[in-house]
Each structure stands twice: as structure tokens, then as C-alpha cells.
Amino acid sequence: MEFEKKTQSRAFHFFDKLFRTFICNILCVASMAIPVALYIFLLIDLGTAGASGEITPNDMNTLMLLFWIATGSFVLTFPFLILPSLVATTDVLKDGLSGINVMRAWLYAFKTYYVKSMKIGLVYSILFGIVLFSLYFYSEAQFMEFSSLFGEDLAKILEKVQTFIFQAGFVVVCLFGLILLLLVGHVPMLIITLPKMRVMDMLKTNVFMAINYFLNTIVLFAMILVSVIGFAFFPIWIIFGISLPILIGIRFSRINYKELEKVDFDKINDQVEKDLEEEELYE
């Protein structure tokens, strides 16, 4: 009887939730082992270069190369490991069940939502890959010299046009990347709320949720930034740096996604198919 009272106390629920958050975070970090290791090497090299008092061009080239490799590995592993682990963490933390085997529940959610997470993740991975390649292109590309091909006045005009195109392209790519980050924050909650929805329909719903609940989108985006910035404080980040922002995002998203759960998408899809069949018959 006394044990039951203890398990139903606020203190027990608090520490139980803290434990689940910690275990989920460790599992998420494990799924990101490759990019995390590369980013750690990047931070070590950055600290070593900074300690010498001056960062040479060779140091900068090495740091940039490590950054592109680490970010590329993140994009490549995103659909196969990272997104499924984020979805599993969201599912376990969203349910908030006490006394469960956290690791078993996490692995079950990972397996349950893996295929849908992988399909959605592949779409975002390709889009993020395009952004990453474009940023690399605009940051590393060499400007063409026109002075040897044209007159001085025309060469100056062409160089200004070239500079404007590169600057405009860089800004457009950055904006596109920002839009993707705003959208991807909704993906884990969407997958566990509507697991049977087709990929294209889910992507459309993703855009709808991001626009219709823009304040929630900003909060989820802020949680992504917290996770990214928190990496600089690695000892804390490895404990709560991923799962805690996810838990906060769930708190802000719960009401919106409860409304989404009430929508009978199967019924809507059936009605749309019937309408299309009727139109074909009339034609």
C-alpha cells in the first residue's frame, strides 16, 4: 500500500519522466553516432586552432572540410537512423506512461514507424542534400574573370551581375533551407498521429500544419535550434539535449494534433475516390 502511494506521488512521476527522457536521449545520440563523432572532431580541431592564437588558411580549410563531411553524414543517415529515432522518442515521451520498460517501448516504436519515417526522411534528405550542395557551391565557387575577355567597362558590369547572381542564389538557398527546418519540426508528431497516411498526403499535411499553426511551428523550430546550439555543451547535451526539446515541443503541439486525430482521413479519401469515379462515368 505504501509502495503504491509512492509510485503515484508527484516526485515518482517526475523522476520517472526524467529517467525516460534520459534513456530516450541516449538512444537518439546512439543513432547519430557517426555525425556526432565527426562534429566532436570539428570542435576539437576548432579549439586546437583557437588555442594557437591564430587560425591559418590551412586550419580554416580543414575545419570547413570537416564541417561539410559531418553535415553530409547527418543528411545521409537522417532517413535511416536519425528521423526514426526522433519519431520513436516522440512516441515514448508523448504517451507519458509510467512504469514501462523505456528501451523496449522505444525499440517497438522505432520498428513500428521505421518504414514511414524512412520514406518521409528520404524526401527531406534529398531536399537537404540539395541545400547542402548549393551552399557548398556558393561558398566555394570561384568568380570568373571577365577583364581578359571583354573591355574594362563591360567586364565590370558582368562582374557585378555575377556577384548579384551568386548573392541572390545564396540567399534563396538559405531561405529554402529555413523553410525545410520549419517543416521538419512537425514530422515526428505527424508520423505518430497519422501513421497510415500516404507519403504525399503527409507531406501536404505537413505544409498545412506548419502554416496553419505557425506559432507552434516557431516553437518547434526553436527547439531544433536549442538542440543544435546545445551541442556546444556536450556533457549536458548527451543527457537531455535532444529529448528535452522534443518533450517541450510535444507540450506545445498536443492540442493541435488532438484536433488532427479527430479528422477521418480515410473517409475523406474514400469520398474523393468516389467523386473521381463519378466524374469519369459522366465523361
Side-chain angles (χ1 to χ4, degrees):
M1 197 73 171
E2 186 179 349
F3 177 75
E4 289 180 1
K5 287 182 179 179
K6 288 182 179 179
T7 57
Q8 292 173 3
S9 65
R10 290 184 178 180
F12 179 84
H13 283 293
F14 172 76
F15 285 107
D16 182 68
K17 186 172 289 185
L18 200 66
F19 177 73
R20 280 188 282 116
T21 306
F22 166 70
I23 295 298
C24 287
N25 200 85
I26 294 297
L27 292 168
C28 277
V29 171
S31 73
M32 303 178 186
I34 296 173
V36 165
L38 291 171
Y39 279 121
I40 289 172
F41 285 130
L42 175 62
L43 289 176
I44 292 172
D45 282 0
L46 183 61
T48 304
S52 64
E54 183 180 355
I55 299 178
T56 64
N58 286 334
D59 291 335
M60 183 57 69
N61 290 334
T62 303
L63 291 171
M64 290 303 299
L65 179 62
L66 267 175
F67 171 78
W68 291 119
I69 292 173
T71 308
S73 69
F74 184 92
V75 171
L76 289 173
T77 56
F78 182 75
F80 306 107
L81 291 173
I82 295 175
L83 183 58
S85 70
L86 295 176
V87 172
T89 298
T90 303
D91 185 59
V92 172
L93 296 179
K94 176 177 174 286
D95 289 340
L97 299 174
S98 298
I100 62 170
N101 186 316
V102 182
M103 188 170 292
R104 186 179 297 174
W106 191 92
L107 291 173
Y108 177 78
F110 187 91
K111 179 182 177 182
T112 301
Y113 300 110
Y114 184 80
V115 175
K116 183 57 63 70
S117 300
M118 184 186 66
K119 289 178 180 179
I120 299 292
L122 280 171
V123 175
Y124 275 100
S125 185
I126 291 169
L127 294 174
F128 277 121
I130 293 170
V131 170
L132 189 64
F133 175 78
S134 301
L135 290 175
Y136 177 80
F137 172 79
Y138 286 118
S139 62
E140 300 294 331
Q142 300 293 325
F143 285 99
M144 184 181 292
E145 293 290 339
F146 293 102
S147 56
S148 59
L149 300 174
F150 304 99
E152 185 177 348
D153 294 336
L154 182 58
K156 287 181 178 179
I157 294 172
L158 292 173
E159 286 172 2
K160 287 181 180 179
V161 172
Q162 180 180 238
T163 302
F164 173 77
I165 290 172
F166 271 69
Q167 290 175 346
F170 185 82
V171 170
V172 169
V173 170
C174 288
L175 287 174
F176 183 62
L178 177 61
I179 291 170
L180 289 179
L181 288 174
L182 290 170
L183 290 173
V184 80
H186 283 276
V187 170
M189 283 293 288
L190 267 176
I191 290 174
I192 64 177
T193 304
L194 305 168
K196 295 181 180 179
M197 181 175 277
R198 292 176 296 185
V199 172
M200 288 306 300
D201 292 334
M202 188 168 287
L203 291 172
K204 294 174 186 176
T205 308
N206 190 183
V207 175
F208 167 79
M209 293 297 292
I211 295 173
N212 202 46
Y213 301 104
F214 191 69
L215 181 60
N216 185 19
T217 302
I218 295 299
V219 172
L220 294 173
F221 175 68
M223 292 304 100
I224 293 174
L225 291 182
V226 168
S227 291
V228 173
I229 296 170
F231 186 78
F233 308 95
F234 188 74
I236 300 173
W237 182 84
I238 201 172
I239 300 173
F240 295 114
I242 301 171
S243 56
L244 186 58
I246 288 176
L247 184 60
I248 295 171
I250 290 170
R251 293 297 181 189
F252 279 92
S253 306
R254 193 182 296 274
I255 296 175
N256 298 333
Y257 280 91
K258 276 187 177 179
E259 293 179 6
L260 191 65
E261 285 176 346
K262 296 176 183 177
V263 180
D264 191 344
F265 286 97
D266 291 334
K267 186 177 179 180
I268 293 172
N269 287 332
D270 290 340
Q271 186 60 46
V272 170
E273 289 177 1
K274 287 180 181 178
D275 292 341
L276 290 173
E277 287 176 1
E278 288 177 0
E279 287 181 5
E280 289 177 357
L281 287 172
Y282 285 121
E283 288 178 358

